[in-house]
Amino acid sequence: MTTTLPHIPTLETRRLILRGPRMGDVETWADFFRSERSQYVRGDDTSLRTSWRGFAHMAGMWMLRGYGTFVFALKDSPDQPLGMTGPWHPMDWPEKELGWTVWTAEAEGKGYAHEAATEARRYAYQDLGWQTAVSYIDPANDRSIALAERMGCVLDPAAEQPDFDGKKVLVYRHPAPEVLG
Amino acid sequence: MTRRPHEIAATGPAAEFAARLQSALPVLETERLTLRAPRIEDFEAYAAIGESDRGRYLVADNSDRDALWLDFAQMVACWLLRGHGVWTVETRADAKAIGFVLLGFEPGDHEPELGYLFLPEAEGQGYAQEATRAARAYAFDTLGLKTLVSTIDHGNARSIRLAERLGAARDAAAETAHGHAIQVYRHMPGEVDG
């Protein structure tokens, strides 16, 4: 017997489902964490234990704060995670963030992250009542910068920097909820 | 220490949803204690334990509040990912958080783990033993876990004493499997009422 928790909300877009993180996602996450593709969102330690702590940090946010990042997957294969996106407030962030990661190269270039992150932002604004959101991005992470700009974000040089292992990041601020309508 | 932004509870709809998630976790009552769902404000008690001289048994560098936060978050997340996790232990008399009992399992562990950590001022009153017995009974009787161990650092005499009081016995084979880096105390279902 395991404890049954009330479901974390499931969101849907045209092609995707956004759902709560599960144990079954950990392996794909760990593969991503070990790969070059995660270089902008982690430190140098890519051990299984550290990648688990990263994943559990994301999952734990749901319990501690009542919101967190969703895992997104194609509607017809919801158990095959493609990445994560969602509103969260992890440690060392001065304010709430909308984050995203795409876990495999195959899932890139299809607009999935844009589709999922746009829905996650709608959730943050409409369901959680957020008035503003930022995305913190490594200056070398071109793909992520392109996504932020596609979502209408603009650089906010006055925003406080998060503590990201001493690295300076770009702070992109999302259009306000009233602008998006 | 003042709380950092990420240590402060959310408000509005998010706070209500966090309360709903927390209310789904089992609550265990003992004679003097309640084991309940962890809440974000309980990190204060966890950090106080972590930053005490007992904290060196929790994380590699217990002056690193981020490492303590990650450990707390993963114990909490375990509920969502595995269906068991950490309870905050509070006194029934005044609802004060005095410690934590964990049914955990993370990479590096070979099987589910029964952990316990209590504030220095709550020690010496049998609270840890009382709370840990309740969690162990829940693990075997309700969750149906087949095995359960307490993994303890060499030299953590207080923790070793509690494991012995709980009737757990050292498991030499399990310690060999861990390269003798830790001591492994095995709990048996039959000892639940000890």
Side-chain angles (χ1 to χ4, degrees):
Chain A
M1 188 206 131
T2 55
T3 306
T4 307
L5 297 179
H7 290 294
I8 286 172
T10 298
L11 312 177
E12 287 195 12
T13 64
R14 189 168 63 82
R15 295 175 294 174
L16 304 171
I17 180 174
L18 281 67
R19 56 163 176 80
R22 297 179 194 150
M23 203 63 201
D25 302 322
V26 171
E27 206 176 308
T28 311
W29 161 261
D31 288 343
F32 165 69
F33 200 81
R34 268 191 301 270
S35 76
E36 278 283 296
R37 304 186 59 267
S38 65
Q39 61 180 302
Y40 304 119
V41 296
R42 58 157 165 83
D44 295 332
D45 178 359
T46 61
S47 68
L48 191 57
R49 200 169 174 95
T50 298
S51 82
W52 157 262
R53 291 205 164 204
F55 189 81
H57 188 205
M58 294 187 282
M61 290 296 99
W62 280 104
M63 298 280 308
L64 294 172
R65 308 194 65 85
Y67 61 86
T69 38
F70 298 89
V71 170
F72 61 90
L74 288 170
K75 276 182 187 167
D76 58 4
S77 45
D79 296 330
Q80 196 62 53
L82 302 175
M84 288 186 98
T85 184
W88 73 327
H89 193 160
M91 68 183 191
D92 301 329
W93 269 208
E95 60 179 303
K96 302 186 287 274
E97 196 213 6
L98 187 74
W100 52 73
T101 49
V102 178
W103 294 352
T104 65
E106 300 77 66
E108 269 181 2
K110 299 187 171 73
Y112 293 150
H114 178 257
E115 193 171 318
T118 301
E119 174 60 11
R121 181 172 65 186
R122 186 209 59 74
Y123 180 79
Y125 282 165
Q126 290 180 16
D127 295 71
L128 298 176
W130 283 19
Q131 296 302 309
T132 188
V134 294
S135 291
Y136 299 122
I137 305 179
D138 187 300
N141 191 349
D142 296 336
R143 296 195 74 96
S144 198
I145 289 168
L147 175 52
E149 290 177 347
R150 194 173 162 206
M151 291 180 75
C153 302
V154 291
L155 281 171
D156 181 354
E160 196 180 333
Q161 283 278 319
D163 175 7
F164 198 77
D165 295 341
K167 273 189 280 187
K168 207 161 155 51
V169 299
L170 301 175
V171 183
Y172 275 94
R173 191 163 299 279
H174 288 261
E178 58 273 19
V179 175
L180 293 171
Chain B
M1 178 181 271
T2 44
R3 290 185 196 177
R4 298 178 298 167
H6 67 266
E7 295 174 11
I8 298 166
T11 54
E16 289 163 31
F17 190 68
R20 278 219 301 283
L21 275 171
Q22 289 156 8
S23 71
L25 302 192
V27 174
L28 308 183
E29 300 266 347
T30 68
E31 190 192 337
R32 297 177 294 168
L33 305 170
T34 302
L35 282 64
R36 59 156 176 83
R39 303 195 282 255
I40 195 166
E41 55 268 29
D42 299 331
F43 180 65
E44 287 291 304
Y46 180 81
I49 297 167
E51 287 161 1
S52 77
D53 64 351
R54 314 196 57 68
R56 66 184 187 278
Y57 300 122
L58 298 180
V59 292
D61 173 10
N62 69 324
S63 69
D64 179 357
R65 200 168 166 97
D66 283 352
L68 294 169
W69 174 262
L70 285 176
D71 191 43
F72 182 68
Q74 70 86 17
M75 294 193 301
V76 171
C78 207
W79 283 112
L80 201 62
L81 299 172
R82 303 194 62 91
H84 55 77
V86 68
W87 282 279
T88 299
V89 180
E90 63 181 28
T91 48
R92 290 174 70 164
D94 56 6
K96 182 184 179 311
I98 58 166
F100 302 88
V101 175
L102 167 73
L103 295 174
F105 199 165
E106 66 171 319
D109 298 341
H110 298 179
E111 54 194 311
E113 185 202 356
L114 177 62
Y116 36 82
L117 40 151
F118 283 78
L119 285 164
E121 60 264 32
E123 286 179 348
Q125 296 163 80
Y127 286 143
Q129 184 175 179
E130 189 172 321
T132 306
R133 277 185 195 284
R136 182 172 66 179
Y138 182 85
F140 285 130
D141 299 349
T142 306
L143 292 178
L145 295 189
K146 301 291 181 228
T147 72
L148 193 60
V149 293
S150 293
T151 53
I152 307 177
D153 281 340
H154 298 292
N156 188 351
R158 186 172 269 279
S159 182
I160 289 167
R161 207 153 54 238
L162 177 55
E164 288 171 347
R165 253 190 224 132
L166 288 163
R170 272 184 88 168
D171 182 332
E175 291 184 9
T176 303
H178 277 282
H180 300 283
I182 45 170
Q183 294 187 16
V184 180
Y185 282 82
R186 183 165 300 284
H187 300 271
M188 302 302 282
E191 287 157 3
V192 163
D193 297 315

